[in-house]
Amino acid sequence: MENEERQPVLTGLQPHGPAAPRRRPRTVRRVLIGVTAGGGVLAGVLVLLPVLRPATAPRPAPGSVARAMTAVGAGVPVALPDLKALIGDREAHVRAHPRDGQSWAVLGSAYLEQARRTALPAYYPKAEQALRTSLRVRTQGNVEALDGLAALADARGDFREAKKWGEAAVELAPKRWTTYPLLIDAYRGLGDFKAGRKALDKLTALHTGPTVQAQASRVYWDRGWREDAVAVITDAAAGAGSPAEQAVLMEQAGELAWERGEPEESLRYYRAAVRADPDEHGALAGQGRALAALGRSSEAVRAYRAAIAKRPTPRYALELGELYEKLGMDADARTQYDLLRQRVRQESAEGVDDELVLGIFEADHGDPLEAVWRLREAWERHPSMPVADALGWALHRAGEDEEAIKFANRITDKEHGGGVRSALYMYHLGQIELSLDRTGSARRHLSEALLLNPHFSPLLVPQARQALADLGEPPAVGPEELEAEEPEEEAPAVGAAGAPAPAPAPAPGTGAAPTAGTGRTPSGGATRTPAATSPAAPAQPSAGPTAGSTARHPATH
């Protein structure tokens, strides 16, 4: 942050005085005790804030602080210039009013959004410090700080912690709609799909609009309601209230188009997202994914490099490394894999859980035993569908197919949360079945992978095609031997104002899409294999991958 660009203190926010004593809910009392026990003194926090200097640069545009504060409070994406203005303003304010718990909560949430937008993991500890300070100085009724801590835990991949903070917030303010999206993300990360659906029901009863529709689209996708998910997210993008929000929603629509095996359509969405907000790095990586599928490798490499320049995440490095590997550029691939390991170490130091993406990398490009060890631990922390799929694949790569199939089969277990239709999941399941000489089901699932998305991986698609060619045509069977396909459930409608969801809108550039800015809108080997319970009788299933998942593996952090 530039010290010279600080905004003068807002006059509308006044420090909070001591609140009247009252009885708190039990969960909230436990949470606050933990905060008080683990926190430092307020003076120590203030020392860490930047020293303010006289302003020499132009002041932020009028309204930028107010816009950013409103967006941060609702969990909506914020344009970087507005976000920078808000952070400067609140830093100045809490220096002058150190007992203003609400402003500490706003500052913490703004730091969190800055971490998301700039990929600087150092903002995570700053966000946590500000949010915990807010709870210390405002010990009663501080649902804003609880929401902020839930959002922070979700961003770090600590879904149990996110659930704790989110449920404490709901207990305190059950009709505050902004908490429920945070809980839905936490339940998805923990594989508790039933709780996620209940939270969505509560959310849709309390609020409508693009944020709600985006969450509904993710839940629908997790359940296999692909068409409904697409319809809802396109409507959400059309109703976005700012270019930054529209860019995130367009990116989500692009991800769904990609998962449906439609690279041209996904590319149009990703490009529209970047037009709306050039800082939306996820859409740049999405362009790389789609361009590679279309055979435009040079453009794909440039798009990935641009995304990594903005946010060098482990996922982007893995995807670009695999593209380089497909192109025969092994030295460049190794450079990206080294970057992946480096970023995992950096983010881990700031409290981010990247074990899933690192485990996936080790399974395919490193030490499968290392992958199994890492992913067993991840499974103990959050037994979600992405972790089950990745652990099953790692076990297969380590030669443990009998155990691997128990995890891989979860993706088709609808009773326990299986439902998401992922090409990568089907490919993994098919290859594990092939290793177990289950040729019929292997053929079926490998074929389904290519049907769902014939471009799902630059390295694995050729292997899927070769496996099917080796299997040959299936033996002739009578009608009575064919499996009956289960009818697909219908999703409840979620419109912008509670109305039925519309039909999917055309992708950007096809004549009827919303336009951007409309205003409406260790690696190394290991032999450690701690025991983990195999999911022969799953007790806590997954809601599947999130809409913001990567091509290499859905819903990785």
Side-chain angles (χ1 to χ4, degrees):
M1 291 169 291
E2 299 288 340
N3 290 330
E4 292 78 11
E5 297 182 19
R6 295 288 186 250
Q7 177 83 352
V9 176
L10 286 180
T11 58
L13 287 175
Q14 299 299 327
H16 294 281
R22 65 181 178 88
R23 183 176 180 83
R24 301 188 196 97
R26 183 176 301 173
T27 301
V28 179
R29 291 203 304 272
R30 288 199 300 266
V31 167
L32 295 179
I33 289 170
V35 171
T36 304
V41 296
L42 178 60
V45 177
L46 291 171
V47 167
L48 297 178
L49 287 176
V51 177
L52 301 180
R53 300 187 180 93
T56 58
R59 294 170 60 176
S64 59
V65 171
R67 285 195 305 270
M69 190 177 296
T70 300
V72 165
V76 174
V78 185
L80 280 174
D82 289 355
L83 185 61
K84 186 175 183 180
L86 175 62
I87 289 175
D89 181 270
R90 292 299 86 188
E91 286 179 346
H93 187 85
V94 297
R95 278 193 171 276
H97 307 283
R99 300 201 65 79
D100 184 348
Q102 182 179 357
S103 288
W104 278 111
V106 171
L107 179 58
S109 295
Y111 283 149
L112 175 56
E113 177 68 1
Q114 189 81 336
R116 187 188 77 82
R117 299 303 305 273
T118 65
L120 296 176
Y123 277 106
Y124 287 128
K126 291 167 69 71
E128 182 175 8
Q129 194 169 47
L131 291 164
R132 290 183 179 272
T133 300
S134 176
L135 281 181
R136 285 196 297 274
V137 302
R138 183 184 171 200
T139 59
Q140 296 185 2
N142 195 349
V143 68
E144 296 90 349
L146 297 176
D147 271 2
L149 286 164
L152 173 63
D154 275 331
R156 283 172 156 173
D158 188 349
F159 300 113
R160 294 193 187 280
E161 191 77 358
K163 176 177 179 287
K164 179 187 76 174
W165 293 115
E167 289 181 345
V170 165
E171 186 174 350
L172 194 62
K175 293 187 177 181
R176 179 183 170 90
W177 74 268
T178 53
T179 306
Y180 291 97
L182 307 174
L183 274 176
I184 293 170
D185 288 343
Y187 293 141
R188 182 185 294 114
L190 291 171
D192 192 348
F193 76 101
K194 291 183 180 178
R197 293 174 192 174
K198 290 179 181 178
L200 178 63
D201 289 343
K202 293 178 182 177
L203 173 61
T204 55
L206 291 170
H207 193 70
T208 60
T211 301
V212 177
Q213 291 169 302
Q215 283 292 341
S217 178
R218 294 187 184 101
V219 174
Y220 293 170
W221 188 268
D222 292 345
R223 299 188 70 173
W225 301 344
R226 295 156 67 90
E227 299 298 332
D228 302 281
V230 172
V232 172
I233 196 59
T234 51
D235 189 49
S242 69
E245 182 181 23
Q246 188 180 57
V248 170
L249 297 173
M250 284 289 192
E251 181 193 343
Q252 185 174 337
E255 293 291 344
L256 298 193
W258 168 260
E259 292 290 342
R260 286 159 54 92
E262 300 168 350
E264 297 93 344
E265 186 175 359
S266 70
L267 181 59
R268 288 192 288 269
Y269 277 116
Y270 291 136
R271 284 178 167 167
V274 174
R275 286 197 300 269
D277 185 356
D279 292 311
E280 192 51 51
H281 50 80
L284 287 169
Q287 288 185 37
R289 200 175 303 134
L291 288 164
L294 295 171
R296 298 157 63 176
S297 301
S298 297
E299 294 175 78
V301 167
R302 287 197 296 270
Y304 271 123
R305 285 175 173 171
I308 289 173
K310 288 183 176 293
R311 185 177 182 180
T313 70
R315 289 180 300 166
Y316 301 166
L318 178 55
E319 289 187 25
L320 179 54
E322 291 189 336
L323 177 57
Y324 279 140
E325 196 171 331
K326 172 67 182 302
L327 297 173
M329 304 168 66
D330 293 344
D332 293 299
R334 286 193 297 272
T335 298
Q336 293 304 313
Y337 298 154
D338 288 343
L339 175 62
L340 181 153
R341 291 187 176 102
Q342 176 188 346
R343 287 298 294 184
V344 167
R345 288 193 297 268
Q346 291 173 346
E347 294 188 0
S348 178
E350 307 296 354
V352 180
D353 186 346
D354 281 323
E355 290 301 298
L356 178 54
V357 68
L358 185 57
I360 293 166
F361 164 74
E362 291 292 350
D364 279 331
H365 307 283
D367 183 353
L369 289 177
E370 177 82 3
V372 169
W373 173 71
R374 290 185 178 278
L375 292 167
R376 284 194 195 278
E377 291 199 338
W379 175 258
E380 292 299 322
R381 291 192 301 275
H382 37 84
S384 67
M385 190 67 72
V387 179
D389 169 72
L391 178 52
W393 183 244
L395 285 163
H396 164 71
R397 298 281 292 172
E400 301 292 337
D401 291 313
E402 292 293 345
E403 185 179 6
I405 195 66
K406 297 176 184 178
F407 287 93
N409 273 335
R410 290 176 66 90
I411 68 171
T412 60
D413 184 0
K414 290 188 177 182
E415 182 181 352
H416 295 95
V420 63
R421 300 179 66 190
S422 162
L424 183 64
Y425 291 178
M426 289 298 174
Y427 169 79
H428 286 166
L429 177 58
Q431 290 285 29
I432 295 169
E433 289 170 329
L434 188 59
S435 297
L436 293 170
D437 294 324
R438 302 179 185 181
T439 56
S441 56
R443 181 186 292 107
R444 183 171 67 253
H445 291 129
L446 291 170
S447 298
E448 186 173 352
L450 295 174
L451 181 64
L452 288 170
N453 184 358
H455 317 284
F456 69 89
S457 165
L459 296 180
L460 301 183
V461 164
Q463 296 182 32
R465 297 191 186 279
Q466 184 61 55
L468 284 171
D470 293 343
L471 282 168
E473 293 296 323
V477 295
E480 69 281 356
E481 298 178 69
L482 295 175
E483 293 187 12
E485 187 172 323
E486 295 183 22
E488 187 174 292
E489 299 177 78
E490 291 187 2
V494 179
T510 60
T515 56
T518 59
R520 287 178 302 160
T521 126
S523 180
T527 57
R528 298 163 289 184
T529 53
T533 304
S534 298
Q540 192 176 20
S542 169
T546 64
S549 62
T550 69
R552 183 61 191 88
H553 196 283
T556 56
H557 279 268

